[in-house]
Amino acid sequence: MNPASAHSPAPRELDVRPILKSGGEPFQAIMEAVSGLKPGQPLRLLAPFRPEPLFKVMAGRGFAHAAREIDGGDWEVLFTPEGAGSPVAFSADAEDPEVWPDPSVHLDLTELDPPEPMVRILSAAEGMQAGEVLFALLSREPLFLYPELAKRGHQWAGNFDETRTTFRIFIRVGKVKA
Amino acid sequence: MPGATLSRWTMSYFAAACLFLVIGECMLAAGYGYPFETVAAFGTLALVHVLAIGWLGLLMLGALLQFVPVLVAVPLRGERLAGPTLLLVIAGLLLLLGGFAALAGATTLSPNLLPIGAVALVTGFALAAGMFATTLFAARPLPHPARFVAAGLLALMATVLIGACFAALLSGAIESDLLTALVVRGVPLHAALGLGGWLSFTAIGVSYRLLPMFMLAPDDVRPTTKIAWWAGIAALGLVAASVGLAVIGPSAMAGLLVLAMLLTLGLTVLYGVDAVRLYRQRRRRAVELNIRASYAAFVALIASVAMFALPAMRAAAGEGAAALVYLFFFGWLSGLGLAQLYKIVPFLTWLECYGPVLGRVPVPRVQDLVSERRASLWFCLYHAAVSAATFSLFMGSHPSFRIAALAQLAATIALIAEFLRARNLSAVAAASRVPIGVPRPHLFLPPFRPQE
């Protein structure tokens, strides 16, 4: 595990210029990209103008922004999560979570009674290939889940969102299954 | 690595605690201790310590072994001390009881058992407090619920040390005017620090985390929670200061204690407000029995503290406001303890038995390990019996008190039978009871195989 690199994962890049060029509305694509960010991961957005209205939306979701004009009058904005107070927790063997593949399974378990989220996550992980990543939203930090993940050889990284109401966890399915 | 594993010794603590509860309630039903003797009689002291140390003390230690790591998301430090601690506390309690019996006239026993027992109890509780304190220390800054636990641990050590002073003096091991002054005036302070500071403060802290968890309610820290914390800390500080005054300047004690009582009333009301808010904001519509039974305990807490704050009610409650102490002890602390056991025992059993195979084979739900309909009857009987016993103490009616105590004993045994059924997986169809390759959980002994 490399906490230094894991605490500052490489930004995810989203270029909305092609969407706008073809007359599309990029807002949904941006929000999907934001939802898919790993804990602590920034978003680098490329747009043909300074996306002023987006700054407020992103601030509401706990992101600071830094905008600069690039070649051709286009703009690059780096949205960085202001994740103070919600440090990322890792399994002992989680190596470089920022290079994990994008999640192939998404689960929203925020409305389930404990310990049902744990059952769903472990069931879903059983059906996945080694190396695949599962992303889940929970209403609590799944403290009792961590030892079960470790026993099965799965790696994980997770933290609370900026409002501390939802816990986000990425689980990379392990190669060795007990 | 962060996370919470199953505490190996928690079930052993719970089993011992339940055994001491049954013994204590048998003593009550058999006419042992107050109201059949005076509050200060050695029979009453023995009864009170069976219940306060044997039942609630061990219950709380067992619960903290499991839930301190959950409160602060840090593994428990020094877990290997859990087994020796249990033995020390049980041995200390039995020695203490032997000492009380000697003072009551049992010629085969020596009063010196009292200080020996006190040494064992101080050591046992200090080991426990050390485990929890170092775990909490590693998790600073402490989340709000954990602060209550930290304050509760301080109150625990103050209670036990004052108790050790009593033991030294009563046995005749030490003669001291200061200690005599402490015994004369300090007994209510010892009780307030134990039942209020240690047991109630800790229970309140743990419930601030468990209630939102079980009801899917937001567990943000509200101003009411913060004020409740400061009111409680101030009350504890005043009681602790009164311990010093009991020795050097008893005339100033009364004023401090009135203030401490008003702060406690404030804490209780704010805690009640928080409990109602959490209930209203819950996202889980159907509320489980452990939560409903916990709210019955909250009613007993508020009723007993509010009545205690009224001098007329306190005077009518018998010697040492015994009726209100009874309601506080059995309605609030024991009621909450039994309610939480009804959730914790099935959950830990489920995790121990089915955790290793989750997701691989179909497993029963936690709810499938219990029968809420039957158990809700027992909780109703329990609280009805506690109310009747409290009322009998107000009326000074010994026969009706014994009948109520007997009903309370019956309800308690029925609830313990429910815990045993959950532990034995009796409600799960035999075919799916224990998955292949998973050892059946021991009834109350720890798993002796090393944990993965």
Side-chain angles (χ1 to χ4, degrees), chain B residues 61-116:
Chain B
L61 292 185
L64 290 179
L65 284 173
Q66 184 63 70
F67 286 104
V68 163
V70 175
L71 282 182
V72 295
V74 163
L76 187 69
R77 299 286 197 272
E79 195 186 357
R80 64 186 182 284
L81 298 175
T85 299
L86 176 62
L87 292 179
L88 275 169
V89 173
I90 292 178
L93 174 58
L94 295 178
L95 290 165
L96 200 67
L97 297 177
F100 286 135
L103 291 177
T107 47
T108 50
L109 296 167
S110 157
N112 287 330
L113 293 176
L114 274 184
I116 300 171

Side-chain angles (χ1 to χ4, degrees), chain A residues 110 113 126 140 143 148 152, chain B residues 4 217 219 283-284 355 358:
Chain A
T110 48
D113 305 336
E126 285 299 312
R140 307 274 146 207
L143 292 165
E148 295 301 332
R152 292 157 200 239
Chain B
D219 65 353
R283 294 207 303 279
R284 182 176 199 171
L358 284 181

Side-chain angles (χ1 to χ4, degrees), chain A residues 105-126:
Chain A
V105 176
H106 291 80
L107 299 172
D108 181 353
L109 308 171
T110 48
E111 294 299 316
L112 292 178
D113 305 336
E116 190 61 22
M118 173 170 169
V119 178
R120 300 280 181 97
I121 287 174
L122 291 172
S123 299
E126 285 299 312

Side-chain angles (χ1 to χ4, degrees), chain B residues 74-446:
Chain B
V74 163
L76 187 69
R77 299 286 197 272
E79 195 186 357
R80 64 186 182 284
L81 298 175
T85 299
L86 176 62
L87 292 179
L88 275 169
V89 173
I90 292 178
L93 174 58
L94 295 178
L95 290 165
L96 200 67
L97 297 177
F100 286 135
L103 291 177
T107 47
T108 50
L109 296 167
S110 157
N112 287 330
L113 293 176
L114 274 184
I116 300 171
V119 168
L121 285 170
V122 169
T123 314
F125 281 115
L127 285 181
M131 272 189 280
F132 301 136
T134 46
T135 307
L136 293 174
F137 192 77
R140 286 164 304 140
L142 287 184
H144 217 73
R147 290 184 200 176
F148 282 87
V149 177
L153 292 175
L154 285 176
L156 165 66
M157 289 322 295
T159 310
V160 179
L161 289 173
I162 295 172
C165 292
F166 293 171
L169 192 89
L170 286 176
S171 65
I174 294 175
E175 283 185 32
S176 149
D177 291 344
L178 288 180
L179 278 187
T180 308
L182 188 63
V183 171
V184 169
R185 300 185 197 88
V187 174
L189 305 177
H190 174 65
L193 282 170
L195 299 182
W198 151 232
L199 292 165
S200 296
F201 222 57
T202 310
I204 286 173
V206 174
S207 69
Y208 267 124
R209 173 55 59 89
L210 291 189
L211 287 179
M213 198 187 277
F214 293 150
M215 291 196 288
L216 293 183
D219 65 353
D220 47 345
V221 178
R222 292 301 181 96
T224 41
T225 319
K226 284 185 187 161
I227 303 170
W229 155 254
W230 285 114
I233 280 293
L236 270 180
L238 288 172
V239 174
S242 302
V243 175
L245 285 178
V247 179
I248 52 168
S251 55
M253 260 176 72
L256 286 195
L257 290 179
V258 168
L259 194 56
M261 197 182 58
L262 292 176
L263 286 165
T264 305
L265 182 62
L267 159 68
T268 309
V269 169
L270 291 168
Y271 178 56
V273 168
D274 278 338
V276 170
R277 175 180 58 79
L278 287 172
Y279 188 85
R280 287 202 175 141
Q281 292 182 346
R282 75 189 192 280
R283 294 207 303 279
R284 182 176 199 171
R285 287 182 66 81
V287 173
E288 284 183 319
L289 179 57
N290 70 305
I291 294 291
R292 299 202 299 276
S294 299
Y295 277 81
F298 298 155
V299 172
L301 167 68
I302 293 171
S304 54
V305 173
M307 285 194 276
F308 195 87
L310 299 172
M313 291 302 284
R314 211 158 56 231
E319 191 186 347
L324 294 173
V325 175
Y326 192 93
L327 181 60
F328 188 85
F329 192 97
F330 285 108
W332 152 238
L333 287 169
S334 305
L336 185 75
L338 289 168
Q340 294 313 318
L341 277 181
Y342 186 73
K343 177 77 186 184
I344 298 169
V345 171
F347 172 69
L348 295 182
T349 305
W350 178 87
L351 194 60
E352 182 178 355
C353 197
Y354 303 116
V357 295
L358 284 181
R360 292 178 183 163
V361 297
V363 300
R365 299 170 310 155
V366 181
Q367 298 94 303
D368 298 335
L369 270 57
V370 294
S371 158
E372 284 213 351
R373 264 181 59 173
R374 204 173 44 226
S376 64
L377 272 180
W378 308 139
F379 276 113
C380 287
L381 175 63
Y382 177 83
H383 281 286
V386 171
S387 306
T390 304
F391 191 69
S392 305
L393 288 175
F394 267 113
M395 295 294 111
S397 164
H398 293 189
S400 65
F401 176 78
R402 280 182 78 164
I403 294 169
L406 200 61
Q408 191 182 315
L409 172 65
T412 304
I413 291 174
L415 281 170
I416 292 173
E418 297 294 329
F419 306 153
L420 290 173
R421 284 172 56 80
R423 197 69 196 141
N424 267 325
L425 306 164
S426 304
V428 181
S432 58
R433 194 167 288 165
V434 184
I436 297 163
V438 175
R440 194 189 177 90
H442 296 157
L443 192 56
F444 61 84
L445 290 172

Side-chain angles (χ1 to χ4, degrees), chain A residues 10-16 33 37 41-47 66 68 70 75-80:
Chain A
R12 180 184 177 132
E13 193 164 295
L14 178 68
D15 188 349
V16 295
L37 290 177
Q41 189 182 24
L43 175 72
R44 179 182 290 124
L45 186 79
L46 297 167
R68 70 183 180 99
I70 51 174
W75 284 75
E76 181 200 81
V77 189
L78 188 67
F79 291 103
T80 317

